[in-house]
Structures are given as C-alpha cells and as structure tokens.
Amino acid sequence: LSANNKELQKAKERAEESEAQFKNLFDQHSAVMLLIEPNTGLIINANQAAISFYGYPKSKICTMYIQAINKLGHEQIEIDLLNSVNSRRNNFIFPHKLSSGEERIVEVYSTPIDYEGKEILFSIIHDISDRKKQEKELISAKERAEESDRLKSAFLANMSHEIRTPMNGILGFSSLLKQPGLKGEEQQKYIQI
C-alpha cells in the first residue's frame, strides 16, 4: 500500500510540475496567447504578451469576450470559433481592436486543447498590420506601374502616328524631287511644299 501511495504521490508531483511548466511557458512567451471558451467566446486566460499588446489589465481581459476585440460580425466569429473547435480550420486573419481604439490586423492560429477538463481554444496571435500595409503598398505600386506602362504605350503609339504622317509627306515629295526631267520651277515648288 505504501509503494502504491509513493507512486501516486510521484505522479501527482509530475503532473503539478508539468502544469507549472505549461503555465510558465504560456505566461512568459513573447507571442500573444489567449485561451478562449469556444461556445461563448469568453477569454479565460491571457499571457503577458497579450496584456501588453491589447493594453487591458489581466483582470479586465480575462472577463472580456473575443467579440469585444475581434471586429468581425458576431455571426462570423461564432462560425470561426466552431471551425476551430472542429479542426476544420486553424488559421485566420482578423481585425482586432486594442484598448486604445487602434485597429490592428492579426493572424490567429487557434487549436482546441483540453484545459481543466474542458475543450477550449488555445490561440496564438501575430500582429501582421505592417505586412498587410506593405502588401497594399506593393499592389498600389504595381497598379501605378501598369498604368504608367499603358500611358507610355499610348504615348508612343500616338507619337509614332504623329511622326509617320508628316514623314510620309516628306518622303513622297522627296521621291518627286528625284524624278528626271523635273524643271527648276517645279522642283522649287516641291521643295517649298
């Protein structure tokens, strides 16, 4: 009986140690992490990086619902939560609102995990606002370059037409000037034209 108790005590200590390691990893990691109750959207826990990123104290953020941060419509958020729970999809891009009112574009990786006997969503959030801004700038620059190329092509086609028309006249009169037996008066008239 005492050997059995010792084994149970060791297993309990290992479980407590494992839980402490997870808690430490969660709290101290530099990535923004949230634990979310999938049926309601309640934020169960947030690490220090999430507290710094969103700007809410831990006591406040752990009573909030993801719908207060995520700027998509409530129906879309519920669908995305359900998709995460069912493992149909685990990667999302959302607009999130900080406590300052500033909106940031985030990429969320969300996976269902067992936490204290319940299935919850473990979400890791990356701020991709700067990347999205650069993508928009690149698209805009590409569109401007394509428009510039179209304008250049139209200009060259127009210039080609504008130059070709008088050149045809000059070449035509040049060939008239080459004709043998052309009198001086006629030659001068062609030159004037």
Side-chain angles (χ1 to χ4, degrees), residues 38 91 93 99 112 116 121 123 130 155 161 164-165 174 193:
N91 177 258
I93 294 179
S99 67
E116 297 178 356
L121 293 176
S123 297
D130 293 337
F155 172 78
H161 174 73
R164 196 171 43 245
T165 302
S174 298
I193 293 173

mmCIF file of all heavy atoms in Angstrom, residues 38 91 93 99 112 116 121 123 130 155 161 164-165 174 193:
data_model
loop_
_atom_site.group_PDB
_atom_site.id
_atom_site.type_symbol
_atom_site.label_atom_id
_atom_site.label_comp_id
_atom_site.label_asym_id
_atom_site.label_seq_id
_atom_site.Cartn_x
_atom_site.Cartn_y
_atom_site.Cartn_z
ATOM 1 N N PRO A 38 -14.828 28.305 -26.396
ATOM 2 C CA PRO A 38 -15.350 28.373 -27.769
ATOM 3 C C PRO A 38 -16.859 28.608 -27.891
ATOM 4 O O PRO A 38 -17.303 29.172 -28.884
ATOM 5 C CB PRO A 38 -14.956 27.035 -28.383
ATOM 6 C CG PRO A 38 -14.781 26.116 -27.232
ATOM 7 C CD PRO A 38 -14.332 26.966 -26.075
ATOM 8 N N ASN A 91 -6.310 28.634 -38.978
ATOM 9 C CA ASN A 91 -5.588 29.860 -39.293
ATOM 10 C C ASN A 91 -6.576 30.908 -39.796
ATOM 11 O O ASN A 91 -7.346 30.641 -40.722
ATOM 12 C CB ASN A 91 -4.528 29.559 -40.354
ATOM 13 C CG ASN A 91 -3.774 30.783 -40.783
ATOM 14 O OD1 ASN A 91 -4.055 31.324 -41.840
ATOM 15 N ND2 ASN A 91 -2.841 31.223 -39.975
ATOM 16 N N ILE A 93 -7.298 35.428 -40.331
ATOM 17 C CA ILE A 93 -6.815 36.812 -40.312
ATOM 18 C C ILE A 93 -8.001 37.670 -39.915
ATOM 19 O O ILE A 93 -9.059 37.606 -40.544
ATOM 20 C CB ILE A 93 -6.229 37.224 -41.674
ATOM 21 C CG1 ILE A 93 -4.975 36.396 -41.935
ATOM 22 C CG2 ILE A 93 -5.926 38.717 -41.695
ATOM 23 C CD1 ILE A 93 -4.285 36.663 -43.237
ATOM 24 N N SER A 99 -7.150 48.384 -26.669
ATOM 25 C CA SER A 99 -7.832 49.221 -25.674
ATOM 26 C C SER A 99 -7.775 50.701 -26.059
ATOM 27 O O SER A 99 -8.662 51.469 -25.712
ATOM 28 C CB SER A 99 -7.216 49.023 -24.288
ATOM 29 O OG SER A 99 -5.886 49.523 -24.260
ATOM 30 N N PRO A 112 -7.944 23.535 -30.669
ATOM 31 C CA PRO A 112 -8.655 23.067 -29.477
ATOM 32 C C PRO A 112 -7.722 22.236 -28.588
ATOM 33 O O PRO A 112 -6.961 21.410 -29.094
ATOM 34 C CB PRO A 112 -9.791 22.218 -30.036
ATOM 35 C CG PRO A 112 -9.380 21.847 -31.410
ATOM 36 C CD PRO A 112 -8.411 22.884 -31.886
ATOM 37 N N GLU A 116 -8.308 21.921 -17.973
ATOM 38 C CA GLU A 116 -9.101 21.740 -16.759
ATOM 39 C C GLU A 116 -10.398 20.969 -17.037
ATOM 40 O O GLU A 116 -11.477 21.323 -16.575
ATOM 41 C CB GLU A 116 -9.389 23.084 -16.087
ATOM 42 C CG GLU A 116 -8.134 23.795 -15.611
ATOM 43 C CD GLU A 116 -8.400 25.155 -14.991
ATOM 44 O OE1 GLU A 116 -9.561 25.617 -14.991
ATOM 45 O OE2 GLU A 116 -7.431 25.755 -14.509
ATOM 46 N N LEU A 121 -10.082 26.809 -26.778
ATOM 47 C CA LEU A 121 -9.216 27.162 -27.903
ATOM 48 C C LEU A 121 -7.963 27.845 -27.381
ATOM 49 O O LEU A 121 -8.033 28.815 -26.626
ATOM 50 C CB LEU A 121 -9.946 28.090 -28.871
ATOM 51 C CG LEU A 121 -11.116 27.467 -29.606
ATOM 52 C CD1 LEU A 121 -11.818 28.508 -30.458
ATOM 53 C CD2 LEU A 121 -10.640 26.308 -30.469
ATOM 54 N N SER A 123 -5.117 30.024 -28.621
ATOM 55 C CA SER A 123 -4.882 30.884 -29.773
ATOM 56 C C SER A 123 -3.571 31.635 -29.642
ATOM 57 O O SER A 123 -3.291 32.239 -28.596
ATOM 58 C CB SER A 123 -6.022 31.897 -29.934
ATOM 59 O OG SER A 123 -7.231 31.225 -30.186
ATOM 60 N N ASP A 130 1.719 45.676 -40.257
ATOM 61 C CA ASP A 130 2.761 46.264 -41.108
ATOM 62 C C ASP A 130 2.915 45.481 -42.406
ATOM 63 O O ASP A 130 3.068 46.063 -43.482
ATOM 64 C CB ASP A 130 4.097 46.333 -40.362
ATOM 65 C CG ASP A 130 4.053 47.309 -39.196
ATOM 66 O OD1 ASP A 130 3.205 48.228 -39.212
ATOM 67 O OD2 ASP A 130 4.869 47.151 -38.263
ATOM 68 N N PHE A 155 1.251 56.815 -75.525
ATOM 69 C CA PHE A 155 2.029 57.973 -75.971
ATOM 70 C C PHE A 155 2.898 57.614 -77.168
ATOM 71 O O PHE A 155 2.932 58.342 -78.175
ATOM 72 C CB PHE A 155 2.894 58.498 -74.819
ATOM 73 C CG PHE A 155 3.857 59.565 -75.227
ATOM 74 C CD1 PHE A 155 3.410 60.866 -75.424
ATOM 75 C CD2 PHE A 155 5.205 59.282 -75.415
ATOM 76 C CE1 PHE A 155 4.301 61.867 -75.805
ATOM 77 C CE2 PHE A 155 6.095 60.275 -75.801
ATOM 78 C CZ PHE A 155 5.645 61.571 -75.992
ATOM 79 N N HIS A 161 2.293 57.773 -84.770
ATOM 80 C CA HIS A 161 1.329 58.251 -85.764
ATOM 81 C C HIS A 161 1.627 59.695 -86.153
ATOM 82 O O HIS A 161 1.612 60.054 -87.341
ATOM 83 C CB HIS A 161 -0.087 58.121 -85.200
ATOM 84 C CG HIS A 161 -1.128 58.714 -86.101
ATOM 85 N ND1 HIS A 161 -1.516 58.102 -87.277
ATOM 86 C CD2 HIS A 161 -1.850 59.866 -86.019
ATOM 87 C CE1 HIS A 161 -2.428 58.856 -87.872
ATOM 88 N NE2 HIS A 161 -2.645 59.931 -87.114
ATOM 89 N N ARG A 164 4.836 59.679 -88.266
ATOM 90 C CA ARG A 164 4.715 58.941 -89.521
ATOM 91 C C ARG A 164 3.940 59.737 -90.578
ATOM 92 O O ARG A 164 4.296 59.743 -91.756
ATOM 93 C CB ARG A 164 4.020 57.596 -89.243
ATOM 94 C CG ARG A 164 4.172 56.591 -90.361
ATOM 95 C CD ARG A 164 3.665 55.190 -90.011
ATOM 96 N NE ARG A 164 2.399 55.162 -89.304
ATOM 97 C CZ ARG A 164 2.242 54.734 -88.064
ATOM 98 N NH1 ARG A 164 3.274 54.277 -87.389
ATOM 99 N NH2 ARG A 164 1.066 54.737 -87.486
ATOM 100 N N THR A 165 2.882 60.440 -90.172
ATOM 101 C CA THR A 165 2.059 61.171 -91.137
ATOM 102 C C THR A 165 2.872 62.232 -91.886
ATOM 103 O O THR A 165 2.894 62.238 -93.127
ATOM 104 C CB THR A 165 0.842 61.791 -90.426
ATOM 105 O OG1 THR A 165 0.112 60.722 -89.816
ATOM 106 C CG2 THR A 165 -0.067 62.521 -91.401
ATOM 107 N N SER A 174 10.058 63.910 -101.601
ATOM 108 C CA SER A 174 11.458 63.594 -101.911
ATOM 109 C C SER A 174 11.539 62.753 -103.171
ATOM 110 O O SER A 174 12.413 62.964 -104.020
ATOM 111 C CB SER A 174 12.113 62.809 -100.771
ATOM 112 O OG SER A 174 12.130 63.542 -99.604
ATOM 113 N N ILE A 193 6.849 73.171 -100.707
ATOM 114 C CA ILE A 193 5.780 72.381 -100.068
ATOM 115 C C ILE A 193 6.380 71.517 -99.007
ATOM 116 O O ILE A 193 5.877 71.421 -97.913
ATOM 117 C CB ILE A 193 5.015 71.545 -101.125
ATOM 118 C CG1 ILE A 193 4.246 72.474 -102.066
ATOM 119 C CG2 ILE A 193 4.059 70.561 -100.466
ATOM 120 C CD1 ILE A 193 3.589 71.781 -103.227
#
